[in-house]
Amino acid sequence: MPDRLLRRTNVEDGTCIMVKNCLYIGSIHNISIGGLFVTSNITLKPMDRMDMSIFLQSDSGEIEIDAVAVATRVEKGGIALKYDYLDKKEYQLLKTFLHKIY
């Protein structure tokens, strides 16, 4: 199997709030610069789009990243999402977080 283009990193204490008609809370299992995998009771289909706030623990405390995401894969264990929109500031926050882990 070829290596992933965008390396995913497992997350210990990651949480996200997703907005799709109402608020849902999800637990982040892994994250990359391109997307994340979340478990939640939200009902989605592939290509569903939503706003989300991602909360990650770093050495300097909790960071919050706001994004728009699209469901790419829905399975029994959770939802794979890719970022549809991540502004420059949020992108840099995520990049810094991931760089410290690698």
Side-chain angles (χ1 to χ4, degrees), residues 13-91:
D13 291 325
T15 304
C16 66
I17 297 174
M18 299 169 281
V19 181
K20 180 85 174 151
N21 302 324
C22 62
L23 292 176
Y24 296 90
I25 296 176
S27 178
I28 302 169
H29 284 270
N30 59 54
I31 194 165
S32 77
I33 203 71
L36 64 162
F37 188 83
V38 175
T39 57
S40 174
N41 63 349
I42 189 171
T43 303
L44 294 174
K45 299 177 293 207
M47 301 309 294
D48 278 353
R49 193 170 188 260
M50 80 199 84
D51 294 322
M52 67 181 350
S53 293
I54 299 165
F55 301 92
L56 300 165
Q57 298 299 319
S58 73
D59 293 340
S60 57
E62 187 175 77
I63 61 170
E64 179 182 351
I65 299 168
D66 294 319
V68 177
V70 174
T72 58
R73 188 179 74 249
V74 179
E75 54 188 56
K76 191 173 185 172
I79 307 151
L81 301 150
K82 72 174 182 175
Y83 308 118
D84 192 40
Y85 178 77
L86 195 62
D87 75 20
K88 187 175 181 177
K89 176 186 163 229
E90 309 296 337
Y91 175 81

